Amino acid sequence: MVDLFSRYEMTIDGRPATAAHSFEVFNPATEEAFAQVPDASSAQLDEAIAAARRAFPAWSALPIEQRQKYVAMIGDVIEANAEDFKRLLTMEQGKARSGADWEIDGSVYWCRAIAEQSLPVHVLEDGPDHRVEVHREPLGVVGGITPWNFPLLLAVWKIAPALVAGNTIVIKPSPFTPLCTLKLGELCRALLPPGVFNVVCGGDDLGKWMTAHPGIAKIAFTGSTETGRSIMASAASNLKRLTLELGGNDPAIVMPDIEPKALARELCWAAFQNSAQFCVATKRLYIHDDVYDALAAEIVDYAQTIKMGDGSQQGTDLGPIQNRPQYEKVWALIDEARASGLRFLLGGERPEGPGYFVPLTIIDNPPDDAPVVTEEAFGPVLPLLRFTEVEDVIRRANSSHYGLAATIWSRDTERAHEIARRLETGTVWINETHVFSPTIPFGGHKQSGIGLENALEGLAEYTNSKTITVRKLPT
Ligand code: NAD
């Protein structure tokens, strides 16, 4: 039995590893430190990478069916400990029970679904004289680096395809939310051959060492665009493969033919799910002038029914911001909006008491160049923006260096589809939002990222393509 609530150690070469130094993990709802975790040295990272390299030949030589079975078993072990994982996730990340259910149950589902994927040899040509085939080969050691908003699910998005494709992995969770990932490493010690799945723990420097390390063949990263840029520069040293899932400033466009009351609920959740600490949260809500006032009123009404608080308490819908630096960043945006005289339809007042809480905050039609519009808040601050012309709203939606996802709400799906094709984002949802699946590729355009996660396209990113051509000789 593994106790998820005490003794947090890294997993290196299938064994527990502590470190000479450690740091604390805080519950963002109470601001109390409740766990101590190891702070890996660069020598320990070397050990983890060496172990992953030693494990690679045998792991990659296994028939894929066996690797798929192992990855499905990672799902089983998460499921067997789901209740504890959910509690631990709420303690370290802050999210409410419904969010923890979504993330932990989703992690189980993803492991099982990715475990059904494979990339068989693709035969391009097979004539009497000539054959051309494309094979997919694993890369070696993958370095996974994850953020603090969906710590376990985003780790699984990397671990599962990396292992199915035949790579071994060293994963580093965010120093703000390392606990679920450390415990997953511990649970997998008895499951996987040593060195296949290593978990190291530390701050941003550990991430930098990984991206510069010659023993790592690929970095799979989810986090901010700024960090993504430095990873790309650092990974150039040995031309590492990269998947970068970065920030977003997602627009949603509401056409005049919608029904305000019915839509308000969906729009609120599109914007505020996970307390808006969601790369694809609706962060700029463009509403047609004809329905702006009615819809704004309905959104404010519905938002007031959402209960924010300590995620471990029953009845809580949304938790706090996960950490102090992010909390200060979100308040700086709100303070700037107030100082510039913007009109608040809801929120904007600092609550009393402990915890990094930012109440749901809605701002009425700020100028396009206001920081609450141009910056990724990554917190529950939503600008409502009026538009009248479709051409104009497409231009405004595209006027961002981000290009992650967008949503269009309209009864005229054909028209919405035309608009979708002109938006510069990796995903566009029409009359639905946040549709993710292990079989749907996800990735950003522009500075929201490089490469894809999920689906066979995502799996292929953990491989090199190898072409073999054969001129058949007469017998
Ligand atoms: P972050 O970039 O600060 O940190 C992410 C991870 O990178 C952490 O583990 C951190 O320790 C590590 N890191 C920091 N500096 C590093 C460096 N120079 N080299 C290597 N590793 C380094 O991001 P965050 O604040 O944890 O997460 C929030 C950001 O993540 C937001 O911008 C959000 O939009 C983005 N995000 C994107 C997606 C997506 O799929 N596109 C999903 C979730 C979050």
Side-chain angles (χ1 to χ4, degrees):
M1 266 309 272
V2 170
D3 175 7
L4 266 66
F5 300 97
S6 67
R7 219 189 48 199
Y8 296 97
E9 294 164 331
M10 302 185 284
T11 298
I12 297 177
D13 205 11
R15 289 191 297 271
T18 55
H21 300 283
S22 63
F23 59 93
E24 290 174 318
V25 177
F26 292 82
N27 180 332
T30 61
E31 298 181 48
E32 281 165 12
F34 71 99
Q36 195 83 21
V37 292
D39 191 359
S41 65
S42 63
Q44 286 181 303
L45 175 65
D46 290 344
E47 278 174 40
I49 293 170
R53 287 178 74 90
R54 279 195 304 277
F56 176 70
W59 180 254
S60 56
L62 284 179
I64 187 165
E65 295 75 18
Q66 283 193 37
R67 294 196 302 265
Q68 289 169 326
K69 257 189 212 149
Y70 276 117
V71 169
M73 278 155 66
I74 299 177
D76 295 345
V77 95
I78 299 173
E79 187 177 56
N81 293 274
E83 188 53 40
D84 285 353
F85 266 121
K86 289 171 186 180
R87 278 178 53 213
L88 185 62
L89 179 60
T90 294
M91 286 163 75
E92 68 171 333
Q93 205 285 332
K95 63 186 66 190
R97 176 65 193 217
S98 54
D101 285 347
W102 189 82
E103 177 162 357
I104 301 301
D105 298 346
S107 300
V108 174
Y109 176 69
W110 244 266
C111 284
R112 290 178 179 158
I114 300 288
E116 288 178 4
Q117 296 181 350
S118 63
L119 296 164
V121 175
H122 189 188
V123 179
L124 297 180
E125 188 187 324
D126 194 18
D129 309 323
H130 199 231
R131 180 175 164 94
V132 179
E133 50 194 43
V134 179
H135 296 242
R136 288 283 173 179
E137 295 189 339
L139 300 165
V141 179
V142 170
I145 303 178
T146 52
W148 44 259
N149 56 346
F150 294 95
L152 195 70
L153 185 63
L154 294 176
V156 162
W157 280 23
K158 294 161 183 55
I159 297 161
L163 299 190
V164 165
N167 305 279
T168 55
I169 191 164
V170 176
I171 195 142
K172 184 199 95 66
S174 164
F176 294 113
T177 52
L179 303 180
C180 286
T181 311
L182 286 168
K183 283 295 169 185
L184 182 61
E186 183 176 343
L187 285 161
C188 288
R189 278 176 215 153
L191 208 68
L192 295 167
V196 166
F197 171 29
N198 306 273
V199 183
V200 292
C201 182
D204 297 351
D205 280 346
L206 179 60
K208 288 182 194 163
W209 300 333
M210 287 171 75
T211 62
H213 202 290
I216 287 184
K218 174 194 170 86
I219 294 287
F221 171 76
T222 303
S224 64
T225 294
E226 193 186 346
T227 306
R229 282 191 209 106
S230 48
I231 288 177
M232 199 166 174
S234 171
S237 56
N238 66 332
L239 285 181
K240 288 184 184 63
R241 274 57 181 153
L242 288 175
T243 304
L244 302 176
E245 295 291 356
L246 308 178
N249 192 6
D250 287 9
I253 298 173
V254 180
M255 300 297 279
D257 57 358
I258 56 89
E259 207 286 293
K261 197 170 183 68
L263 195 57
R265 181 180 181 282
E266 287 199 79
L267 291 176
C268 276
W269 287 113
F272 297 132
Q273 189 65 260
N274 210 39
S275 294
Q277 303 163 111
F278 200 179
C279 51
V280 292
T282 290
K283 291 173 184 142
R284 297 176 285 152
L285 182 52
Y286 294 97
I287 305 173
H288 193 276
D289 190 53
D290 289 357
V291 284
Y292 184 96
D293 294 323
L295 185 57
E298 294 289 351
I299 290 172
V300 169
D301 276 359
Y302 184 80
Q304 284 171 303
T305 68
I306 296 176
K307 191 167 176 298
M308 183 176 281
D310 184 333
S312 66
Q313 303 298 311
Q314 251 196 342
T316 300
D317 296 314
L318 291 177
I321 295 296
Q322 198 282 325
N323 58 73
R324 179 160 284 281
Q326 184 64 27
Y327 172 77
E328 297 300 350
K329 199 181 133 198
V330 178
W331 276 114
L333 269 181
I334 294 175
D335 292 345
E336 196 283 334
R338 174 159 291 107
S340 331
L342 299 183
R343 195 164 97 92
F344 286 62
L345 298 177
L346 187 69
E349 300 294 337
R350 276 182 200 247
E352 302 272 303
Y356 305 134
F357 291 100
V358 177
L360 302 187
T361 297
I362 298 175
I363 299 181
D364 183 20
N365 202 28
D368 282 353
D369 62 353
V372 282
V373 181
T374 58
E375 289 182 25
E376 182 192 31
F378 223 62
V381 185
L382 179 67
L384 309 185
L385 300 142
R386 248 179 229 275
F387 77 91
T388 47
E389 299 299 329
V390 169
E391 284 307 312
D392 181 51
V393 82
I394 293 173
R395 180 190 57 75
R396 291 162 74 192
N398 284 338
S399 67
S400 169
H401 65 268
Y402 291 115
L404 196 54
T407 312
I408 303 166
W409 302 92
S410 172
R411 299 176 73 81
D412 183 348
T413 44
E414 218 167 288
R415 181 83 178 102
H417 203 274
E418 283 166 21
I419 297 171
R421 296 185 56 181
R422 295 179 56 195
L423 294 178
E424 298 163 356
T425 59
T427 300
V428 183
W429 292 294
I430 298 174
N431 293 327
E432 58 182 8
T433 198
H434 302 166
V435 178
F436 286 99
S437 155
T439 56
I440 300 177
F442 173 71
H445 289 190
K446 302 199 269 189
Q447 294 191 38
S448 284
I450 288 184
L452 293 162
E453 288 195 294
N454 298 327
L456 295 185
E457 290 89 337
L459 187 60
E461 298 223 355
Y462 289 89
T463 64
N464 273 324
S465 172
K466 178 188 274 180
T467 304
I468 299 179
T469 78
V470 187
R471 179 157 66 99
K472 296 181 182 173
L473 301 177
T475 44

